Amino acid sequence: MKIFLNGQPVEAACDKKLLAFLRDDMRLTSVKDGCSEGACGTCMVIVDGKAVKACTRKLSQLEGKDIITVEGLSEREKAVYVECFAEAGAVQCGFCIPGMVISAKALIDANPNPTRQEVKKAIQPNICRCTGYVKIEEAILNAARYLRENLPIPARQAAASLSHPFKRVDAGDKIMGKGIFADDLVFEGMIYAKALRSKYPRAMVNKIDISQAERHPDCVRILTAKDVPNNKIGHIVLDWDVMIPEGHETRYIGDAIALAGSRRKESLDEILSLIEVDYTELKPVTCPTDALKADAPLIHSKGNIMSKEYLKRGDADEAIRNSKYVVTKKYYTPFNDHAFMEPECAVALPVGADGLQLYTGGQSVYDEQREVSTMLGIPKENIRVTSMLVGGGFGGKEDMSVQHHAALMAWHTKLPVKVKFSRQESINCHTKRHAMEMEFTTACDEEGRLTAMKALLIADTGAYASLGGPVLQRACTHAAGPYNFQNIDILGMAVYTNNVVAGAYRGFGVTQSCFAMESNINLLAEKVGISPWEIRYKNAIRPGQVLPNGQIADPNCAMAETLEAVKEIYEAHPRAGIACGFKNSGKGVGLKDIGRCTLEVLNGKVRIRTSAACMGQGIATVCTQIVYETLGLDPALIIHETPDTVRTPDSGTSTASRQTVVTGEATRRASVKLKEALEGKTLEDLEGQEYYDEYFAETDPMGSPKEFPVSHVSYSYATQVVLLDEDGKVEKVVAAYDVGTPVNPRSVEGQIEGGVIMGLGFALTESFPIEGGYPKGKLGTLGIMRAPDAPPIEVLFTDVDREKLPYAYGAKGVGELCLIPTSPAAAHAYYRLDGKFRHSLPLKDTYYKRRNTI
Ligand code: FES
Ligand code: FES
């Protein structure tokens, strides 16, 4: 077969999918494999002038056709798309971006002056999980203008000051598809590995027969639990089996039974089909209510309650008895998939007799190193973990998924091994947002002053602990919202079931409890006879007041200002819904929470070394701007290195909206040291010198006897307003934020826009159906919002007095708060539209559900 690829004739010896040909044979890294099933658009190419998904065509259908990938754009086009996407802040994780550029080119070639609606339509096949599409649309409109009007490309930015929209340091490579993700790596002699997953959510594994599979000509090795030195791993609790041994029960459909290594990835499924497993199927436990019954089977030997939280301050019962108005309601929020665009992938290489080099795309190289070393029973130092680009995470790449299996196979075979999840494996195996059942009682006095709340939260944590304990804890610690009252009584339980594992997911439990609390507040406002805005403003926490968890609000707290920013728009619109939220930056509650940074002067440049993972949120750019702010060096002289356990100091996991604060402050401190050293000297004088510092975000533990414990070093605050048109379509979202100093306002806006769309998806369109322990969704049916449904989003920032914030030049985290208030704000908007009070997600009987097209 012959095609023309980027203007050159190329021949293929055998028929295969165009995507496989471009990636595996032509080694084109701009064409991404986000699903291989036609749902995501990351593989978009141009075929004879039309944008086409490369995973949906075989070479035999393309004989003689002209195929263009991002690599084949003209130099002018490349320069324009890099400029416009970077300038707009349209790039986060970058995994979707080359596909977006292709859809843009196909549109602009045919229509040099498109409208925004035409742009939305053109990128409808392309999912972006990070950006919320707003900035991508702006980038495409701008690219069309540059090309149409033949505008010159501006000179590169010579300043990277704080609060300045400096272009992301990784934008160019991501836009052009040159940035390397783990699946782009190929090594000589590399084999492929894949796990056989359990046939049943709960079953006894009686016997595993691998003999036939071992005889397959492509099979290199089959491993089972017998081959794992330490079979239990886990992010916090060591309860997760690397593989289920004979004589043990499976706990969910994603449990690995055996691991096959093959010379050819195309043979993996065939080899796995030859493994014979004798199961005794058992009735799965599919909801916490059943799991809590006295006669429920034990999913783990210690019992089905994975963790419990009880928070009490004041006397909620007494305060409720004495309150004028009381509301009690039950709420339900479902499982939800992160649906990051890059499916999980890791490559492991043997090093010496007992060592490994692991290339991954997770949320912490040091966590990966720790868990793999636990599994293999070898010193951590024997395992070097290097992060490649991370194509989105949102909490879903904190646990081991592929890394440990790649490491295990490489350790046994002494060969390079790649493990890559198909999109369906990713959906079935990785952690989800916890489904929660909640009962909230909220009370206020006759003027609408909150007096007390009681809550019961039951979280379905699925088969393994993952981060379920801290997620439940945050759901509880934030359940009372960003308000000034003191009587709380909150009980939470995370319960094991045979459902998919639930773990960290952007919002970390607060997304769920905020939905319940904010919805109750609207009902209280109704009883009092004041507006939902007013009840919030009356109670909003202000500097010096005490949060329900006992922490005194910082002098910089601007919760009330976020409400002031939206007052007019909310009160003027008859179908506006409002909700507030707050979220901690940093792990807090007495945990060890340290950011570390080394600055090295090398070849006349300053190299920033931290292990803070960038899953798209832009920590590399944050650190670059902090170094610039301190030193005032030309940004071209500041290089940010990729996380690597040998080169970069441990800055912990990218979780809990912590990296901007914790690693940002460590970077600031290290840069102050370098600044001192630079006095009277040049970078050349300091060649080879290193400047290290760290920041320990010290907090008080849960249950601290202190009257006013510091649970977290800082909180960000927000109010969101969702506006509906008369048909119930979201016409706009206004999001007002106190994030301290927005280090890069365009990046922070991008985080908020992406979070709002993710939040609207959670509220309106997404679902993760699971029946009897079997997930039923595919990427194309999860209901992820696409560009045509993404409304305009207006982001507002409150003023900040940097002096009042003692770290990272006054910056606070935003990664999670961006979607926390969205679902209650949407629910409230529909309540105002049709008077129906909705207490579960996704919201029923809305424009989106009636339309039934998502
Ligand atoms: S990889 Fe082709 S559409 Fe997802
Ligand atoms: S930037 Fe679009 S998926 Fe991450």
Side-chain angles (χ1 to χ4, degrees):
M1 274 144 288
K2 189 171 175 184
I3 59 170
F4 293 88
L5 178 59
N6 295 328
Q8 299 298 317
V10 291
E11 292 194 17
C14 64
D15 196 14
K16 57 170 71 172
K17 276 192 178 176
L18 176 62
L19 175 60
F21 177 71
L22 296 175
R23 285 191 58 79
D24 301 341
D25 298 3
M26 297 290 106
R27 298 272 178 90
L28 296 182
T29 52
S30 77
V31 192
K32 313 286 191 204
D33 179 4
C35 71
S36 273
E37 54 191 38
C40 73
T42 60
C43 63
M44 203 65 87
V45 298
I46 292 178
V47 178
D48 281 357
K50 295 232 168 349
V52 165
K53 293 165 184 165
C55 68
T56 63
R57 300 294 163 94
K58 290 188 112 180
L59 288 172
S60 52
Q61 299 169 292
L62 300 166
E63 182 73 37
K65 303 261 188 214
D66 270 312
I67 317 277
I68 295 174
T69 68
V70 164
E71 290 85 350
L73 301 190
S74 70
E75 290 310 309
R76 168 69 182 161
E77 286 174 316
K78 286 180 182 172
V80 166
Y81 284 112
V82 167
E83 168 60 25
C84 294
F85 273 69
E87 165 64 23
V91 182
Q92 291 189 28
C93 82
F95 200 78
C96 72
I97 298 298
M100 291 283 183
V101 169
I102 287 293
S103 291
K105 174 178 163 58
L107 169 70
I108 294 169
D109 283 355
N111 174 6
N113 192 7
T115 63
R116 189 177 279 261
Q117 285 313 313
E118 286 165 337
V119 170
K120 280 179 177 286
K121 190 156 179 265
I123 59 170
Q124 180 164 17
N126 304 69
I127 298 176
C128 175
R129 194 58 163 163
C130 301
T131 64
Y133 304 103
V134 180
K135 299 205 178 316
I136 290 177
E137 291 160 16
E138 280 160 15
I140 296 173
L141 289 168
N142 222 13
R145 191 169 62 90
Y146 266 72
L147 291 166
R148 206 169 57 234
E149 298 174 13
N150 200 22
L151 298 175
I153 304 294
R156 81 175 170 83
Q157 292 167 299
S161 325
L162 286 192
S163 303
H164 174 73
F166 181 62
K167 291 175 196 158
R168 282 179 72 114
V169 295
D170 51 2
D173 281 351
K174 286 179 170 176
I175 297 161
M176 284 297 104
K178 288 192 218 152
I180 301 300
F181 294 84
D183 190 33
D184 296 326
L185 296 172
V186 179
F187 292 94
E188 185 70 31
M190 188 171 81
I191 65 166
Y192 302 86
K194 182 173 180 178
L196 178 70
R197 302 286 164 182
S198 176
K199 194 170 169 191
Y200 306 103
R202 180 166 169 253
M204 174 60 71
V205 177
N206 302 315
K207 184 103 194 91
I208 306 167
D209 181 354
I210 60 171
S211 55
Q212 268 205 67
E214 284 180 317
R215 286 197 285 276
H216 190 286
D218 289 338
C219 179
V220 178
R221 186 80 192 263
I222 308 285
L223 302 172
T224 64
K226 291 177 193 151
D227 303 300
V228 188
N230 297 306
N231 197 40
K232 293 277 187 193
I233 58 170
H235 196 84
I236 297 169
V237 182
L238 300 188
D239 69 349
W240 202 328
D241 295 64
V242 175
M243 283 183 269
I244 303 294
E246 286 179 349
H248 289 252
E249 278 182 23
T250 66
R251 299 189 182 86
Y252 87 121
I253 207 72
D255 272 327
I257 306 292
L259 184 67
S262 168
R263 284 173 197 91
R264 295 187 328 118
K265 63 178 168 185
E266 294 80 5
S267 312
L268 277 167
D269 286 333
E270 195 173 280
I271 295 171
L272 291 178
S273 73
L274 298 173
I275 298 173
E276 286 181 20
V277 185
D278 178 36
Y279 296 99
T280 303
E281 187 181 356
L282 300 166
K283 188 165 181 267
V285 182
T286 56
C287 68
T289 311
D290 288 350
L292 291 171
K293 286 180 181 158
D295 60 349
L298 291 186
I299 294 164
H300 290 273
S301 57
K302 284 187 179 162
N304 289 346
I305 297 177
M306 192 276 290
S307 76
K308 218 174 192 178
E309 287 294 333
Y310 183 54
L311 275 68
K312 185 170 163 64
R313 275 179 63 82
D315 187 339
D317 285 319
E318 174 73 9
I320 289 168
R321 266 195 301 278
N322 296 330
S323 294
K324 173 86 177 171
Y325 301 110
V326 180
V327 165
T328 299
K329 282 276 175 194
K330 289 188 174 166
Y331 297 91
Y332 174 75
T333 60
F335 286 114
N336 188 219
D337 194 276
H338 308 75
F340 31 74
M341 281 298 95
E342 179 209 19
E344 299 86 336
C345 182
V347 180
L349 273 63
V351 176
D354 206 19
L356 287 171
Q357 162 76 62
L358 202 51
Y359 295 100
T360 66
Q363 292 183 217
S364 165
V365 287
Y366 282 93
D367 285 340
E368 290 167 318
Q369 182 191 47
R370 173 176 51 80
E371 292 207 45
V372 170
S373 101
T374 301
M375 174 185 72
L376 295 177
I378 60 175
K380 282 193 281 199
E381 299 67 41
N382 288 20
I383 302 157
R384 177 177 186 173
V385 184
T386 307
S387 182
M388 310 311 292
L389 291 180
V390 186
F394 315 115
K397 291 181 178 170
E398 289 196 40
D399 295 278
M400 292 304 98
S401 54
V402 287
Q403 306 92 321
H404 59 319
H405 284 167
L408 184 70
M409 186 58 80
W411 194 64
H412 277 286
T413 61
K414 302 293 173 214
L415 293 169
V417 178
K418 180 184 282 187
V419 180
K420 182 191 180 233
F421 271 176
S422 68
R423 177 51 70 173
Q424 203 57 47
E425 281 178 290
S426 175
I427 286 173
N428 291 354
C429 298
H430 80 234
T431 58
K432 306 289 170 251
R433 192 193 301 288
H434 285 76
M436 284 195 199
E437 292 172 37
M438 299 169 280
E439 182 174 292
F440 272 54
T441 296
T442 318
C444 69
D445 66 15
E446 59 190 4
E447 275 154 16
R449 280 192 194 84
L450 293 172
T451 50
M453 64 91 71
K454 285 188 80 168
L456 173 67
L457 299 90
I458 307 288
D460 185 341
T461 210
Y464 296 102
S466 175
L467 283 99
V471 167
L472 176 75
Q473 194 177 74
R474 286 296 76 65
C476 293
T477 57
H478 289 56
Y483 301 113
N484 174 35
F485 69 104
Q486 302 303 309
N487 298 300
I488 60 165
D489 190 328
I490 302 166
L491 174 63
M493 263 191 281
V495 182
Y496 286 124
T497 65
N498 294 118
N499 287 325
V500 286
V501 186
Y505 191 154
R506 198 178 205 179
F508 217 76
V510 186
T511 322
Q512 294 94 314
S513 56
C514 178
F515 173 62
M517 179 65 181
E518 290 294 306
S519 298
N520 262 13
I521 286 181
N522 295 330
L523 296 179
L524 281 179
E526 209 170 84
K527 284 180 183 269
V528 178
I530 58 177
S531 100
W533 182 90
E534 197 181 336
I535 194 169
R536 287 174 169 83
Y537 193 65
K538 223 177 246 267
N539 291 285
I541 191 82
R542 286 159 169 90
Q545 293 179 342
V546 182
L547 281 159
N549 67 8
Q551 181 162 351
I552 297 172
D554 289 340
N556 63 75
C557 160
M559 181 63 240
E561 286 85 335
T562 70
L563 276 157
E564 286 162 10
V566 303
K567 180 172 192 229
E568 213 168 299
I569 190 155
Y570 171 75
E571 297 288 13
H573 197 295
R575 296 173 300 279
I578 191 167
C580 298
F582 76 136
K583 185 71 182 64
N584 52 293
S585 304
K587 290 195 278 188
V589 294
L591 297 172
K592 208 167 158 191
D593 195 4
I594 305 175
R596 298 183 174 91
C597 175
T598 300
L599 297 178
E600 184 185 11
V601 181
L602 198 65
N603 299 324
K605 295 187 177 177
V606 177
R607 300 187 73 89
I608 305 170
R609 305 213 306 257
T610 86
S611 74
C614 177
M615 311 97 80
Q617 81 279 29
I619 187 66
T621 309
V622 165
C623 292
T624 302
Q625 289 191 250
I626 286 176
V627 170
Y628 176 88
E629 183 75 11
T630 314
L631 297 173
L633 290 173
D634 182 338
L637 298 177
I638 306 169
I639 310 288
H640 186 274
E641 290 197 17
T642 194
D644 181 330
T645 52
V646 167
R647 288 189 60 77
T648 60
D650 187 357
S651 301
T653 317
S654 286
T655 189
S657 306
R658 63 184 285 278
Q659 291 295 13
T660 292
V661 171
V662 178
T663 298
E665 172 61 8
T667 304
R668 189 194 66 79
R669 292 178 179 194
S671 62
V672 168
K673 285 187 174 167
L674 173 54
K675 185 178 183 186
E676 285 162 10
L678 267 171
E679 261 173 45
K681 297 212 168 80
T682 65
L683 279 180
E684 283 62 35
D685 298 331
L686 302 179
E687 182 67 21
Q689 301 294 313
E690 291 188 358
Y691 302 87
Y692 169 84
D693 215 327
E694 60 183 45
Y695 168 55
F696 179 14
E698 218 173 330
T699 50
D700 297 315
M702 293 291 291
S704 163
K706 288 185 184 169
E707 189 181 2
F708 302 115
V710 175
S711 294
H712 295 279
V713 289
S714 76
Y715 296 93
S716 298
Y717 299 91
T719 303
Q720 287 189 11
V721 177
V722 171
L723 309 168
L724 301 180
D725 68 14
E726 285 178 358
D727 296 328
K729 188 169 189 227
V730 178
E731 62 181 22
K732 186 174 179 181
V733 177
V734 181
Y737 273 71
D738 161 22
V739 293
T741 307
V743 173
N744 186 321
R746 202 164 287 158
S747 278
V748 179
E749 264 174 30
Q751 286 280 299
I752 294 169
E753 289 161 0
V756 164
I757 295 303
M758 195 179 250
L760 285 178
F762 185 51
L764 301 172
T765 62
E766 291 187 35
S767 62
F768 187 83
I770 180 160
E771 290 169 19
Y774 296 90
K776 295 292 178 188
K778 294 171 82 70
L779 184 66
T781 64
L782 293 180
I784 297 164
M785 273 202 167
R786 294 176 183 267
D789 279 310
I793 300 164
E794 184 179 351
V795 178
L796 307 167
F797 296 121
T798 55
D799 291 336
V800 61
D801 180 353
R802 267 193 217 171
E803 301 309 310
K804 290 185 181 166
L805 286 151
Y807 35 70
Y809 289 120
K812 302 197 277 189
V814 68
E816 298 172 281
L817 183 57
C818 48
L819 85 164
I820 286 171
T822 315
S823 58
H828 182 220
Y830 282 99
Y831 182 55
R832 292 189 72 194
L833 176 77
D834 61 18
K836 291 182 200 161
F837 187 81
R838 294 161 174 86
H839 45 77
S840 65
L841 297 176
L843 301 173
K844 292 190 180 67
D845 193 21
T846 67
Y847 166 89
Y848 300 89
K849 286 296 164 195
R850 282 193 296 274
R851 208 174 40 136
N852 208 20
T853 55
I854 293 185

